[in-house]
Amino acid sequence: MNYARYLTRLSSSRQHSAIRVLTSIVQENPSIITMAGGMPNPQTFPIQEVSLKLKNGKRIDLDEKTTRIALQYSGTKGLPPLVNMLTELQCRIHNPPTYKAEGHPGPLDLIVTSGSQDGLCKVFESMVNPDDKVLIEHPTYSGTLAIVKPLTSKAIPVESDIDGLNPASLRQALSPWSPSDATRPGSDIPKVLYLVPNGGNPTGAGLTLDRKKEIYKIAQDYNLIIMEDDPYFYLQFTKPYVPSFLSMDTDGRVVRFDSFSKLVSSGMRLGFVTGPKPLLERLELHMQCSVMHASGLSQMALYKVLEDWGIEGFLKHAETTAELYKTKRDQCLAIMEKHLKGLAEWTVPSGGMFVWVKLHVEDSHKLITVRAREKGVLFVPGSVFMMDSSKPSPYIRASYSNCTEEQMDTAFQRLAEILQEG
């Protein structure tokens, strides 16, 4: 694959930071004497040690040496032991075909980011020029729209349903072009497809394996990069997990975004991006001149927790977390049936934290942002997940992740009252 084809002029012009490179050298060779970087003297750090108490009662201590490493500048890609552990996790769960593939133009790489949203934003900026057309699952995560809309006015919606992004809609979106246009210089054919394959935000939908295979084949035909935004992968409500796009990526055309926000802590602000090295190198260069690296203290704390758990312990924690959200989903659906039957319709989420509700109204915006708020309940109007947020939408997104059963009952009862008032 010719990865230069996918890069913006800005991203292609980025150069390595000489100082950031030196920081990585010091990190990999702690015995080296350096008078190069502007690293502060650890004697000035007021924090000497850190102790973490887990909910199972176990305590994890970061000794003085470990704490000093966590508080100091580190390499942009992430703390080496954490990067190694996450690479091992990706290989265990997804078994990417390009990992250590000899002579492959897009060998696998991994970078720790300040939440997956940070990686998502920077990768979009590296691949989307102002005149570029981008294929976006629709409806879609509002945070993605906030990234894409300022970059280009030529985003193309690809409709999804209860089984996720519809391949027929993808083919229709690409119908103005032929696959040969992907090899023609100057063609305006889209180069990037963005989607949320599991527990879709806002729909709660999940792609079936058959659809994933069909979408990947379309991506091959039209030479698309697939941006697999998958923070809810481990929150699938049925097992085994539906295999990821990364797991079938023989070409090196998938950039995958994972998050710890839904599994360990949202406040830690840690995610990681996995994909072809030529593309992730651009992400690394952007990070070198912006955040430099994700929080060292958060990375070290996460690493120590994962080290204590091991991969099996992490998977057990993920399974327990998914079971919690599945229980809450079932509570939410039962309460909706109780209060909203005849007033709305909805789909059953296959994972994640959200249920997508179609109210029997023309537009939900004022009803949700004014009348529901006056009654002391908040939902998200469906228009914010649409490409054109000015158009009326009867949908709302409800999150069941952090509400008690009693709170959900009250919320939907109040929503029903508003709908009945007309």
Side-chain angles (χ1 to χ4, degrees), residues 270-357:
L270 289 179
F272 55 107
V273 183
T274 316
K277 186 176 180 63
L279 296 181
L280 262 62
E281 180 187 40
R282 299 293 110 186
L283 168 61
E284 182 181 4
L285 295 182
H286 193 162
M287 290 178 64
Q288 285 181 0
C289 66
S290 57
V291 296
M292 295 192 179
H293 59 78
S295 164
L297 195 56
S298 289
Q299 288 191 69
M300 187 63 79
L302 175 64
Y303 168 68
K304 288 296 183 180
V305 171
L306 294 179
E307 183 185 43
D308 178 69
W309 283 347
I311 289 181
E312 291 301 330
F314 167 74
L315 294 176
K316 179 63 178 175
H317 173 76
E319 186 176 336
T320 301
T321 304
E323 283 298 321
L324 170 66
Y325 290 133
K326 183 175 184 292
T327 298
K328 287 189 168 292
R329 178 205 65 176
D330 293 343
Q331 292 172 348
C332 182
L333 294 175
I335 292 168
M336 289 169 63
E337 182 72 19
K338 171 184 173 184
H339 292 296
L340 295 183
K341 188 174 182 179
L343 299 172
E345 51 196 272
W346 52 89
T347 55
V348 177
S350 63
M353 301 177 168
F354 310 109
V355 60
W356 189 233
V357 186

Coordinates of all heavy atoms in Angstrom, one line a residue, residues 270-357:
L270 N -6.6 7.5 29.2 CA -5.7 6.6 28.5 C -6.4 5.8 27.5 O -7.4 5.2 27.8 CB -4.9 5.7 29.5 CG -3.9 6.3 30.4 CD1 -3.3 5.3 31.3 CD2 -2.8 7.0 29.6
G271 N -5.9 5.8 26.3 CA -6.3 4.9 25.2 C -5.1 4.5 24.4 O -4.0 4.8 24.8
F272 N -5.3 3.7 23.4 CA -4.2 3.3 22.5 C -4.6 3.1 21.1 O -5.8 2.7 20.9 CB -3.4 2.1 23.1 CG -4.2 0.9 23.3 CD1 -4.0 -0.2 22.5 CD2 -5.0 0.8 24.4 CE1 -4.7 -1.4 22.7 CE2 -5.7 -0.4 24.7 CZ -5.6 -1.5 23.8
V273 N -3.8 3.4 20.2 CA -4.0 3.2 18.8 C -3.1 2.2 18.2 O -1.9 2.2 18.5 CB -3.8 4.6 18.0 CG1 -4.2 4.4 16.5 CG2 -4.6 5.7 18.7
T274 N -3.7 1.3 17.4 CA -3.0 0.2 16.8 C -3.2 0.3 15.3 O -4.3 0.5 14.8 CB -3.4 -1.2 17.3 OG1 -3.6 -1.1 18.7 CG2 -2.5 -2.3 16.9
G275 N -2.1 0.1 14.5 CA -2.3 0.2 13.1 C -0.9 0.2 12.3 O 0.1 0.0 12.9
P276 N -1.0 0.4 11.0 CA 0.3 0.4 10.2 C 1.3 1.5 10.7 O 0.9 2.6 10.9 CB -0.2 0.7 8.8 CG -1.7 0.5 8.8 CD -2.2 0.8 10.2
K277 N 2.5 1.1 10.8 CA 3.5 2.0 11.3 C 3.7 3.3 10.5 O 3.8 4.4 11.1 CB 4.9 1.3 11.3 CG 6.0 2.1 12.0 CD 7.3 1.2 12.0 CE 8.4 2.0 12.7 NZ 8.1 2.4 14.1
P278 N 3.6 3.3 9.1 CA 3.7 4.5 8.4 C 2.6 5.5 8.8 O 2.9 6.7 8.7 CB 3.5 4.1 6.9 CG 4.0 2.6 6.9 CD 3.5 2.1 8.2
L279 N 1.4 5.1 9.2 CA 0.4 6.0 9.6 C 0.5 6.4 11.0 O 0.3 7.6 11.4 CB -1.0 5.4 9.3 CG -1.4 5.1 7.9 CD1 -2.8 4.4 7.8 CD2 -1.3 6.3 7.0
L280 N 0.9 5.5 11.9 CA 1.0 5.8 13.3 C 2.3 6.7 13.5 O 2.3 7.4 14.5 CB 1.1 4.5 14.1 CG -0.2 4.1 14.8 CD1 -1.3 3.8 13.7 CD2 -0.1 3.0 15.7
E281 N 3.2 6.6 12.7 CA 4.4 7.5 12.8 C 3.9 9.0 12.7 O 4.5 9.8 13.4 CB 5.4 7.2 11.7 CG 6.6 8.1 11.7 CD 7.5 8.0 10.5 OE1 7.0 7.8 9.4 OE2 8.7 8.0 10.7
R282 N 2.9 9.2 11.9 CA 2.4 10.6 11.8 C 1.7 11.0 13.1 O 1.8 12.2 13.5 CB 1.4 10.7 10.6 CG 2.0 10.4 9.2 CD 3.0 11.4 8.8 NE 4.4 11.0 8.8 CZ 5.5 11.7 8.6 NH1 5.3 13.0 8.4 NH2 6.7 11.2 8.6
L283 N 1.0 10.1 13.7 CA 0.4 10.3 15.0 C 1.4 10.7 16.0 O 1.3 11.6 16.8 CB -0.4 9.1 15.4 CG -0.9 9.1 16.9 CD1 -1.8 10.2 17.2 CD2 -1.6 7.7 17.2
E284 N 2.5 9.9 16.0 CA 3.6 10.1 17.0 C 4.2 11.5 16.8 O 4.5 12.2 17.8 CB 4.7 9.0 16.8 CG 5.8 9.2 17.8 CD 6.9 8.1 17.6 OE1 6.8 7.3 16.7 OE2 7.8 8.1 18.4
L285 N 4.4 11.9 15.5 CA 5.0 13.2 15.3 C 4.1 14.3 15.7 O 4.5 15.4 16.2 CB 5.3 13.4 13.8 CG 6.4 12.4 13.2 CD1 6.6 12.7 11.8 CD2 7.7 12.5 14.0
H286 N 2.8 14.1 15.6 CA 1.8 15.1 16.1 C 1.9 15.2 17.6 O 1.9 16.3 18.2 CB 0.4 14.8 15.6 CG -0.6 15.9 15.8 ND1 -1.8 16.0 15.1 CD2 -0.6 17.0 16.5 CE1 -2.4 17.0 15.4 NE2 -1.7 17.7 16.3
M287 N 1.9 14.1 18.2 CA 2.0 14.1 19.7 C 3.3 14.7 20.2 O 3.3 15.4 21.2 CB 1.9 12.6 20.2 CG 0.5 12.0 20.0 SD 0.4 10.3 20.6 CE 0.8 10.5 22.4
Q288 N 4.4 14.5 19.4 CA 5.7 15.1 19.9 C 5.6 16.6 20.0 O 6.2 17.2 20.8 CB 6.8 14.7 18.9 CG 7.2 13.3 19.0 CD 8.3 13.0 18.0 OE1 8.8 13.8 17.2 NE2 8.8 11.7 18.0
C289 N 4.7 17.3 19.1 CA 4.7 18.7 19.2 C 3.4 19.2 19.9 O 3.1 20.4 19.8 CB 4.8 19.3 17.8 SG 3.4 18.9 16.7
S290 N 2.6 18.3 20.5 CA 1.4 18.7 21.2 C 1.4 18.3 22.7 O 2.0 18.9 23.6 CB 0.2 18.3 20.5 OG 0.2 16.9 20.3
V291 N 0.9 17.1 22.9 CA 0.9 16.6 24.3 C 2.2 16.0 24.8 O 2.4 15.7 26.0 CB -0.2 15.5 24.5 CG1 -1.6 16.1 24.2 CG2 0.0 14.3 23.5
M292 N 3.1 15.7 23.9 CA 4.4 15.0 24.1 C 4.2 13.6 24.4 O 4.8 12.7 23.8 CB 5.2 15.7 25.2 CG 5.7 17.1 24.9 SD 6.9 17.7 26.1 CE 7.2 19.3 25.4
H293 N 3.4 13.2 25.4 CA 3.1 11.9 25.7 C 1.9 11.8 26.7 O 1.6 12.9 27.3 CB 4.3 11.1 26.3 CG 4.8 11.7 27.6 ND1 4.2 11.5 28.8 CD2 5.9 12.4 27.8 CE1 4.9 12.1 29.7 NE2 6.0 12.7 29.1
A294 N 1.2 10.7 26.8 CA 0.1 10.6 27.7 C 0.7 10.6 29.1 O 1.9 10.4 29.4 CB -0.6 9.3 27.5
S295 N -0.1 11.0 30.1 CA 0.3 11.1 31.5 C 1.1 9.9 32.0 O 0.7 8.8 32.0 CB -0.9 11.3 32.4 OG -0.6 11.1 33.7
G296 N 2.3 10.2 32.4 CA 3.2 9.2 32.9 C 2.7 8.5 34.2 O 2.8 7.3 34.3
L297 N 2.1 9.3 35.1 CA 1.5 8.7 36.3 C 0.4 7.8 36.0 O 0.2 6.7 36.5 CB 1.1 9.8 37.2 CG 0.9 9.4 38.7 CD1 2.1 8.7 39.3 CD2 0.5 10.7 39.5
S298 N -0.5 8.2 35.1 CA -1.6 7.4 34.7 C -1.1 6.1 34.0 O -1.6 5.0 34.3 CB -2.6 8.1 33.7 OG -3.3 9.2 34.4
Q299 N -0.2 6.2 33.1 CA 0.4 5.1 32.4 C 1.0 4.1 33.4 O 0.7 2.9 33.3 CB 1.5 5.5 31.4 CG 1.0 6.2 30.2 CD 2.1 6.3 29.2 OE1 2.5 5.3 28.6 NE2 2.5 7.5 29.0
M300 N 1.7 4.6 34.4 CA 2.4 3.7 35.4 C 1.4 3.0 36.3 O 1.4 1.8 36.5 CB 3.4 4.5 36.2 CG 4.2 3.6 37.1 SD 5.3 2.4 36.2 CE 6.6 3.5 35.7
A301 N 0.3 3.8 36.7 CA -0.7 3.2 37.5 C -1.4 2.1 36.8 O -1.7 1.0 37.3 CB -1.7 4.3 38.0
L302 N -1.8 2.4 35.5 CA -2.5 1.4 34.7 C -1.6 0.1 34.5 O -2.1 -1.0 34.6 CB -2.9 2.0 33.4 CG -3.5 1.0 32.4 CD1 -4.8 0.5 32.9 CD2 -3.7 1.7 31.0
Y303 N -0.3 0.4 34.2 CA 0.6 -0.8 34.0 C 0.6 -1.6 35.2 O 0.6 -2.9 35.1 CB 2.0 -0.3 33.6 CG 3.0 -1.4 33.6 CD1 3.0 -2.4 32.7 CD2 4.0 -1.4 34.6 CE1 3.9 -3.5 32.8 CE2 4.9 -2.4 34.7 CZ 4.8 -3.5 33.8 OH 5.7 -4.5 33.8
K304 N 0.8 -1.0 36.4 CA 0.9 -1.8 37.6 C -0.4 -2.6 37.9 O -0.3 -3.7 38.4 CB 1.2 -0.9 38.8 CG 2.6 -0.4 38.8 CD 3.7 -1.5 38.9 CE 5.1 -1.0 38.9 NZ 6.1 -2.1 39.1
V305 N -1.5 -2.0 37.6 CA -2.8 -2.7 37.8 C -2.9 -3.9 36.8 O -3.2 -5.0 37.2 CB -4.0 -1.8 37.6 CG1 -5.3 -2.6 37.6 CG2 -4.1 -0.8 38.7
L306 N -2.5 -3.7 35.5 CA -2.6 -4.7 34.5 C -1.6 -5.8 34.8 O -1.8 -7.0 34.6 CB -2.4 -4.1 33.1 CG -3.4 -3.2 32.6 CD1 -3.1 -2.7 31.2 CD2 -4.8 -3.9 32.6
E307 N -0.4 -5.4 35.3 CA 0.6 -6.4 35.7 C 0.1 -7.3 36.8 O 0.4 -8.5 36.8 CB 1.9 -5.6 36.1 CG 3.1 -6.5 36.5 CD 4.3 -5.8 37.0 OE1 4.1 -4.9 37.8 OE2 5.4 -6.1 36.6
D308 N -0.6 -6.7 37.8 CA -1.1 -7.4 38.9 C -2.2 -8.4 38.4 O -2.2 -9.6 38.8 CB -1.7 -6.5 39.9 CG -2.3 -7.2 41.1 OD1 -1.5 -7.9 41.9 OD2 -3.5 -7.2 41.2
W309 N -3.0 -7.9 37.5 CA -4.1 -8.8 37.0 C -3.6 -9.9 36.0 O -4.1 -11.0 36.1 CB -5.1 -7.9 36.2 CG -6.1 -7.1 37.1 CD1 -6.3 -7.3 38.4 CD2 -6.9 -6.1 36.6 NE1 -7.3 -6.4 38.8 CE2 -7.7 -5.6 37.7 CE3 -7.2 -5.5 35.4 CZ2 -8.6 -4.6 37.6 CZ3 -8.1 -4.5 35.3 CH2 -8.8 -4.0 36.4
G310 N -2.7 -9.5 35.2 CA -2.3 -10.3 34.0 C -3.5 -10.2 33.0 O -4.5 -9.7 33.3
I311 N -3.2 -10.8 31.8 CA -4.2 -10.7 30.7 C -5.5 -11.4 31.1 O -6.6 -10.9 30.9 CB -3.7 -11.2 29.4 CG1 -2.6 -10.2 28.9 CG2 -4.8 -11.4 28.4 CD1 -2.0 -10.6 27.5
E312 N -5.4 -12.5 31.8 CA -6.6 -13.3 32.2 C -7.4 -12.4 33.2 O -8.6 -12.4 33.2 CB -6.2 -14.6 32.8 CG -5.6 -15.6 31.8 CD -6.6 -15.9 30.7 OE1 -7.8 -15.9 30.9 OE2 -6.1 -16.2 29.6
G313 N -6.7 -11.8 34.1 CA -7.4 -10.9 35.1 C -8.1 -9.8 34.5 O -9.2 -9.4 34.9
F314 N -7.4 -9.2 33.5 CA -8.0 -8.1 32.8 C -9.3 -8.5 32.0 O -10.3 -7.8 32.1 CB -7.1 -7.5 31.8 CG -7.7 -6.5 30.8 CD1 -8.1 -5.3 31.1 CD2 -7.9 -6.9 29.4 CE1 -8.7 -4.4 30.2 CE2 -8.5 -6.1 28.5 CZ -8.9 -4.8 28.9
L315 N -9.2 -9.7 31.4 CA -10.4 -10.2 30.6 C -11.5 -10.5 31.6 O -12.7 -10.3 31.3 CB -10.0 -11.4 29.8 CG -9.0 -11.2 28.7 CD1 -8.6 -12.5 28.0 CD2 -9.6 -10.2 27.7
K316 N -11.2 -11.0 32.8 CA -12.2 -11.3 33.8 C -12.9 -10.0 34.2 O -14.1 -9.9 34.4 CB -11.6 -12.0 35.0 CG -12.6 -12.3 36.1 CD -13.7 -13.3 35.6 CE -14.6 -13.6 36.8 NZ -15.8 -14.5 36.3
H317 N -12.1 -8.9 34.5 CA -12.6 -7.6 34.8 C -13.5 -7.1 33.7 O -14.6 -6.6 34.0 CB -11.5 -6.7 35.1 CG -11.9 -5.3 35.3 ND1 -12.5 -4.8 36.5 CD2 -11.9 -4.2 34.5 CE1 -12.8 -3.6 36.4 NE2 -12.5 -3.1 35.2
A318 N -13.1 -7.2 32.5 CA -13.9 -6.8 31.3 C -15.2 -7.5 31.3 O -16.3 -6.9 31.0 CB -13.1 -6.9 30.1
E319 N -15.2 -8.8 31.5 CA -16.4 -9.6 31.5 C -17.3 -9.2 32.6 O -18.6 -9.1 32.4 CB -16.0 -11.1 31.7 CG -17.2 -12.1 31.5 CD -16.7 -13.5 31.6 OE1 -15.6 -13.8 31.3 OE2 -17.6 -14.4 31.9
T320 N -16.8 -9.0 33.8 CA -17.7 -8.5 34.9 C -18.3 -7.1 34.6 O -19.5 -6.9 34.9 CB -16.8 -8.4 36.2 OG1 -16.2 -9.7 36.5 CG2 -17.7 -7.9 37.4
T321 N -17.5 -6.3 34.0 CA -18.0 -4.9 33.6 C -19.1 -5.1 32.6 O -20.2 -4.4 32.7 CB -16.9 -4.1 33.0 OG1 -15.8 -4.0 34.0 CG2 -17.3 -2.7 32.7
A322 N -18.9 -5.9 31.6 CA -19.9 -6.2 30.6 C -21.2 -6.7 31.2 O -22.3 -6.3 30.8 CB -19.4 -7.1 29.5
E323 N -21.1 -7.6 32.1 CA -22.3 -8.2 32.8 C -23.0 -7.1 33.5 O -24.3 -7.1 33.5 CB -21.8 -9.3 33.7 CG -21.5 -10.6 33.1 CD -22.7 -11.2 32.3 OE1 -23.8 -11.1 32.8 OE2 -22.4 -11.7 31.2
L324 N -22.3 -6.2 34.2 CA -23.0 -5.1 34.9 C -23.8 -4.3 33.9 O -25.0 -4.0 34.1 CB -22.0 -4.2 35.5 CG -22.5 -2.9 36.1 CD1 -23.5 -3.1 37.3 CD2 -21.4 -1.9 36.5
Y325 N -23.2 -3.9 32.7 CA -23.9 -3.1 31.8 C -25.1 -3.9 31.1 O -26.1 -3.3 30.7 CB -23.0 -2.5 30.8 CG -22.1 -1.4 31.3 CD1 -20.7 -1.4 31.1 CD2 -22.6 -0.4 32.2 CE1 -19.9 -0.5 31.7 CE2 -21.8 0.5 32.7 CZ -20.4 0.5 32.5 OH -19.6 1.5 33.0
K326 N -24.9 -5.2 30.9 CA -26.0 -6.0 30.4 C -27.2 -6.0 31.3 O -28.3 -5.9 30.9 CB -25.5 -7.4 30.1 CG -26.5 -8.3 29.4 CD -25.9 -9.7 29.1 CE -26.9 -10.5 28.4 NZ -28.0 -11.0 29.2
T327 N -26.9 -6.1 32.6 CA -28.0 -6.1 33.6 C -28.7 -4.7 33.5 O -29.9 -4.7 33.6 CB -27.4 -6.3 35.0 OG1 -26.8 -7.6 35.0 CG2 -28.5 -6.2 36.1
K328 N -27.9 -3.6 33.5 CA -28.5 -2.3 33.4 C -29.3 -2.1 32.1 O -30.4 -1.5 32.1 CB -27.4 -1.2 33.6 CG -26.9 -1.1 35.0 CD -26.0 0.1 35.2 CE -25.8 0.3 36.7 NZ -27.0 0.7 37.4
R329 N -28.8 -2.7 31.0 CA -29.5 -2.6 29.8 C -30.9 -3.3 29.9 O -31.9 -2.7 29.5 CB -28.7 -3.3 28.6 CG -29.5 -3.3 27.3 CD -29.1 -4.4 26.4 NE -29.4 -5.7 26.9 CZ -29.2 -6.9 26.2 NH1 -28.6 -6.8 25.0 NH2 -29.5 -8.0 26.7
D330 N -30.9 -4.4 30.5 CA -32.1 -5.2 30.6 C -33.1 -4.4 31.5 O -34.3 -4.4 31.3 CB -31.9 -6.6 31.2 CG -31.1 -7.5 30.2 OD1 -31.1 -7.1 29.0 OD2 -30.5 -8.5 30.6
Q331 N -32.6 -3.8 32.6 CA -33.5 -3.0 33.5 C -34.1 -1.8 32.7 O -35.3 -1.5 32.8 CB -32.7 -2.5 34.6 CG -32.2 -3.5 35.6 CD -31.3 -3.0 36.7 OE1 -30.7 -1.9 36.5 NE2 -31.0 -3.7 37.7
C332 N -33.2 -1.2 31.9 CA -33.6 0.0 31.1 C -34.7 -0.4 30.1 O -35.7 0.3 30.0 CB -32.4 0.5 30.4 SG -32.8 2.0 29.4
L333 N -34.5 -1.6 29.4 CA -35.5 -2.0 28.4 C -36.8 -2.3 29.1 O -37.9 -2.0 28.5 CB -35.0 -3.2 27.6 CG -33.8 -2.9 26.7 CD1 -33.3 -4.3 26.1 CD2 -34.0 -1.9 25.6
A334 N -36.8 -3.0 30.2 CA -38.0 -3.3 30.9 C -38.8 -2.0 31.4 O -40.0 -1.9 31.2 CB -37.7 -4.2 32.1
I335 N -38.1 -1.0 31.8 CA -38.7 0.2 32.3 C -39.2 1.0 31.1 O -40.3 1.6 31.2 CB -37.6 1.1 33.1 CG1 -37.3 0.3 34.4 CG2 -38.2 2.5 33.3 CD1 -36.1 0.9 35.1
M336 N -38.5 1.0 30.0 CA -39.0 1.6 28.8 C -40.3 1.0 28.3 O -41.3 1.7 27.9 CB -38.0 1.6 27.7 CG -36.8 2.5 27.9 SD -35.4 2.2 26.8 CE -36.1 2.7 25.2
E337 N -40.4 -0.3 28.3 CA -41.6 -1.1 28.0 C -42.7 -0.6 28.9 O -43.9 -0.5 28.4 CB -41.3 -2.6 28.1 CG -42.5 -3.4 27.7 CD -42.7 -3.4 26.2 OE1 -41.8 -3.0 25.4 OE2 -43.9 -3.8 25.7
K338 N -42.4 -0.4 30.1 CA -43.4 0.0 31.1 C -44.0 1.4 30.8 O -45.2 1.6 30.9 CB -42.8 -0.1 32.5 CG -43.7 0.5 33.6 CD -42.9 0.4 34.9 CE -43.6 1.1 36.1 NZ -42.8 1.1 37.3
H339 N -43.1 2.3 30.5 CA -43.5 3.7 30.4 C -43.7 4.2 29.0 O -44.6 5.1 28.7 CB -42.5 4.6 31.1 CG -42.5 4.5 32.6 ND1 -43.6 4.8 33.4 CD2 -41.5 4.0 33.4 CE1 -43.2 4.5 34.7 NE2 -42.0 4.1 34.7
L340 N -43.0 3.7 28.0 CA -43.0 4.3 26.7 C -43.7 3.5 25.6 O -43.7 3.9 24.4 CB -41.5 4.5 26.2 CG -40.7 5.5 27.0 CD1 -39.3 5.7 26.4 CD2 -41.4 6.9 27.1
K341 N -44.3 2.3 26.0 CA -45.0 1.5 25.0 C -46.1 2.4 24.4 O -46.9 3.0 25.0 CB -45.6 0.3 25.7 CG -46.1 -0.7 24.7 CD -46.6 -2.0 25.4 CE -47.1 -3.0 24.4 NZ -47.5 -4.3 25.0
G342 N -46.1 2.4 23.0 CA -47.1 3.2 22.3 C -46.6 4.6 22.1 O -47.3 5.4 21.3
L343 N -45.6 5.1 22.8 CA -45.1 6.5 22.7 C -43.8 6.5 22.0 O -43.4 7.6 21.5 CB -45.0 7.1 24.1 CG -46.2 7.2 24.9 CD1 -45.8 7.6 26.4 CD2 -47.2 8.1 24.3
A344 N -43.1 5.4 21.9 CA -41.8 5.4 21.2 C -41.5 4.0 20.8 O -42.2 3.0 21.2 CB -40.7 5.9 22.2
E345 N -40.4 3.8 20.0 CA -39.9 2.5 19.7 C -38.3 2.5 19.8 O -37.7 3.6 19.7 CB -40.3 2.1 18.3 CG -40.0 3.1 17.2 CD -40.8 2.9 16.0 OE1 -40.2 2.1 15.1 OE2 -41.9 3.4 15.8
W346 N -37.7 1.4 20.0 CA -36.3 1.3 20.2 C -35.7 0.0 19.8 O -36.5 -1.0 19.5 CB -36.0 1.5 21.7 CG -36.8 0.6 22.6 CD1 -36.4 -0.6 23.1 CD2 -38.1 0.9 23.2 NE1 -37.4 -1.1 23.9 CE2 -38.4 -0.2 24.0 CE3 -39.0 2.0 23.1 CZ2 -39.6 -0.3 24.7 CZ3 -40.2 1.9 23.8 CH2 -40.5 0.8 24.6
T347 N -34.4 0.0 19.7 CA -33.7 -1.3 19.3 C -33.0 -1.8 20.6 O -32.7 -1.0 21.5 CB -32.6 -1.0 18.2 OG1 -31.8 0.1 18.6 CG2 -33.3 -0.6 16.9
V348 N -32.7 -3.1 20.6 CA -32.0 -3.7 21.7 C -30.5 -3.6 21.5 O -30.0 -4.1 20.5 CB -32.4 -5.2 21.8 CG1 -31.7 -5.9 23.0 CG2 -33.9 -5.3 22.0
P349 N -29.8 -2.9 22.4 CA -28.3 -2.7 22.3 C -27.6 -4.1 22.4 O -28.0 -4.9 23.2 CB -28.0 -1.8 23.4 CG -29.2 -1.1 23.8 CD -30.3 -2.1 23.6
S350 N -26.7 -4.3 21.5 CA -25.9 -5.5 21.5 C -24.6 -5.4 22.4 O -23.9 -6.4 22.6 CB -25.4 -5.9 20.1 OG -24.6 -5.0 19.6
G351 N -24.4 -4.2 22.9 CA -23.3 -3.9 23.8 C -23.2 -2.4 24.1 O -24.1 -1.6 23.7
G352 N -22.3 -2.0 24.9 CA -22.1 -0.6 25.2 C -22.9 -0.1 26.3 O -23.4 -0.8 27.2
M353 N -23.3 1.2 26.2 CA -23.9 1.9 27.3 C -25.2 2.6 26.9 O -25.8 3.4 27.7 CB -23.0 3.0 27.9 CG -21.7 2.4 28.4 SD -20.6 3.8 28.9 CE -19.3 2.9 29.8
F354 N -25.6 2.5 25.6 CA -26.7 3.4 25.1 C -27.8 2.6 24.5 O -27.6 1.5 23.9 CB -26.1 4.3 24.1 CG -24.8 5.1 24.6 CD1 -23.6 4.7 24.0 CD2 -24.9 6.0 25.6 CE1 -22.5 5.4 24.5 CE2 -23.8 6.7 26.0 CZ -22.5 6.4 25.5
V355 N -29.0 3.2 24.5 CA -30.1 2.8 23.8 C -30.7 3.9 22.9 O -30.7 5.1 23.4 CB -31.2 2.2 24.7 CG1 -31.8 3.3 25.7 CG2 -32.4 1.6 23.9
W356 N -31.0 3.6 21.7 CA -31.4 4.6 20.7 C -32.9 4.5 20.6 O -33.5 3.5 20.2 CB -30.7 4.2 19.4 CG -30.8 5.1 18.2 CD1 -31.2 4.8 17.0 CD2 -30.4 6.5 18.1 NE1 -31.1 5.9 16.1 CE2 -30.6 7.0 16.8 CE3 -29.9 7.4 19.1 CZ2 -30.3 8.3 16.4 CZ3 -29.6 8.7 18.7 CH2 -29.8 9.1 17.4
V357 N -33.6 5.6 20.9 CA -35.0 5.6 21.0 C -35.6 6.6 20.0 O -35.2 7.7 19.9 CB -35.4 6.1 22.5 CG1 -36.9 6.0 22.6 CG2 -34.7 5.3 23.5

